[in-house]
Amino acid sequence: MVKALLAGISLIFVISAQAQNEFTIKGKISGLEDSTRIVLYRSDGQVMSQIAQDTVINECFTFKGETVDNAPEALMVSSHDKGFPNTWLDVWVAPGKETTVTGNNKLIRTWNVSADIQEQHDLNRYADACREECSKEQEIYIQLMDLFSKGRTGNPSEEEKNAIRNEMKELQKKTDSLRLISSQKEIEIMQQTPKGTVWMDKLLGQCKQSKYMENYPYKEDLIALYNKLSDNEKNSQAGKEITVCLYPPVTVKEGDEMADTDLYDLQGNIHHLADYKGKYLLVDFWSRGCG
């Protein structure tokens, strides 16, 4: 009897401890149809890994789970169902905390997120500032997806394909313009707020944009923000990525000597370019994060 009682108490203690370590995400999105699938992702470097899925019932969805290292963590909520833009909503979760998500349409990136988590408060400052531009950008995403699907089905003529491509180019220009407005607003917030996890994430995002967007106009502002980083911050994973975006390595030209490093084959063996000097060598670079 005593053993059974102790076992019961131990079980209650374990369940209680697990509940205290769990995060909860509760969503209430007006107008979402029953059976709409909502997916929860965790980022693993450049890869989004699905960790849970829920089906909407009465406009609601719920997720429960544990964070990595029992610490606050950024996750992503998305849906691949019809009518959703091809993007996701960033949400912060923490052990024993509840994160609520509300909205009234399928523009998932501008759903409202609330949680008693400092990183979520920081993220909301950026989301609120860029909400109008982000909503318009998502509407364009949906148009682009429809055009892409139209170009791949129904056997369109070459003339129709060209018309679709031109329309997509014009929509992409609008997206770039909206993104630059959001960039300016985010940079202004970074200039006025202290550094933190979300601050670093936003700086990295803007630096990546400056690398890939033609005629990006805020490069000097990003360099000024970068110069505020400590040596430890510059040597962090995000800091190293920021450095490479702002100060890309010199492109090797024909006849130049390539920088050497540890190169791994499929069996995990290390090779160096110097080992093959004077020979023709084909090097195939790839990443598991590439779609």
Side-chain angles (χ1 to χ4, degrees):
M1 181 69 179
V2 175
K3 287 183 178 179
L5 181 61
L6 289 174
I9 293 173
S10 298
L11 181 62
I12 293 171
F13 178 79
V14 170
I15 294 173
S16 175
Q18 287 179 336
Q20 288 177 352
N21 290 333
E22 275 189 337
F23 67 79
T24 303
I25 300 174
K26 289 188 176 180
K28 172 72 174 177
I29 312 298
S30 302
L32 277 194
E33 303 90 349
D34 282 357
S35 79
T36 298
R37 292 167 298 169
I38 306 296
V39 187
L40 187 64
Y41 290 96
R42 170 178 284 125
S43 176
D44 177 19
Q46 300 297 320
V47 182
M48 290 172 61
S49 302
Q50 180 177 326
I51 58 175
Q53 178 176 296
D54 195 24
T55 302
V56 170
I57 299 176
N58 296 327
E59 302 179 334
C60 296
F61 62 88
T62 303
F63 296 109
K64 289 181 180 291
E66 294 185 9
T67 63
V68 174
D69 297 329
N70 203 31
E73 180 184 6
L75 299 177
M76 293 157 286
V77 173
S78 187
S79 178
H80 307 297
D81 285 11
K82 186 175 177 57
F84 283 88
N86 186 25
T87 187
W88 64 86
L89 173 70
D90 292 307
V91 299
W92 277 87
V93 296
K97 299 284 187 178
E98 181 174 294
T99 300
T100 61
V101 179
T102 57
N104 54 17
N105 54 40
K106 292 183 177 180
L107 303 182
I108 196 166
R109 201 168 183 87
T110 38
W111 287 351
N112 296 296
V113 185
S114 176
D116 184 21
I117 304 169
Q118 183 59 51
E119 289 86 353
Q120 188 64 56
H121 295 316
D122 295 341
L123 185 58
N124 286 348
R125 186 180 292 115
Y126 295 94
D128 291 341
C130 304
R131 195 168 295 280
E132 181 180 352
E133 290 77 23
C134 190
S135 293
K136 291 179 180 177
E137 195 174 337
Q138 290 176 95
E139 290 169 354
I140 293 175
Y141 286 166
I142 295 171
Q143 294 177 60
L144 285 169
M145 290 166 65
D146 289 342
L147 286 169
F148 183 76
S149 177
K150 184 178 177 182
R152 292 173 63 90
T153 57
N155 195 26
S157 66
E158 197 59 39
E159 184 179 353
E160 289 171 327
K161 288 180 180 178
N162 286 332
I164 290 171
R165 279 193 285 265
N166 290 332
E167 190 173 352
M168 291 179 75
K169 285 180 182 177
E170 290 304 311
L171 288 173
Q172 189 60 56
K173 288 179 183 177
K174 291 181 180 179
T175 299
D176 290 345
S177 297
L178 290 166
R179 201 164 289 171
L180 285 178
I181 295 172
S182 296
S183 293
Q184 184 180 24
K185 291 181 176 181
E186 288 193 352
I187 288 170
E188 288 176 354
I189 293 173
M190 282 188 277
Q191 290 169 337
Q192 299 166 11
T193 54
K195 293 175 292 181
T197 301
V198 174
W199 192 99
M200 285 289 288
D201 288 344
K202 289 296 179 182
L203 180 59
L204 175 56
Q206 289 301 327
C207 289
K208 286 182 177 179
Q209 193 162 301
S210 74
K211 180 179 178 181
Y212 296 111
M213 181 180 283
E214 191 175 352
N215 299 320
Y216 181 87
Y218 306 116
K219 185 75 172 283
E220 294 303 316
D221 294 307
L222 297 182
I223 291 173
L225 290 169
Y226 172 79
N227 289 334
K228 292 182 178 181
L229 300 181
S230 66
D231 289 342
N232 285 339
E233 288 166 336
K234 289 179 181 178
N235 287 320
S236 67
Q237 182 60 42
K240 290 176 180 178
E241 290 187 61
I242 291 167
T243 303
V244 171
C245 288
L246 293 178
Y247 303 102
V250 177
T251 302
V252 177
K253 298 181 178 62
E254 186 174 339
D256 292 346
E257 187 168 315
M258 286 186 66
D260 209 345
T261 186
D262 290 344
L263 302 172
Y264 294 85
D265 63 21
L266 293 177
Q267 287 71 45
N269 302 312
I270 297 178
H271 301 267
H272 297 98
L273 297 177
D275 299 336
Y276 303 91
K277 196 164 186 177
K279 300 178 182 179
Y280 287 101
L281 180 66
L282 174 64
V283 184
D284 179 18
F285 292 96
W286 62 281
S287 165
R288 66 193 180 98
C290 176

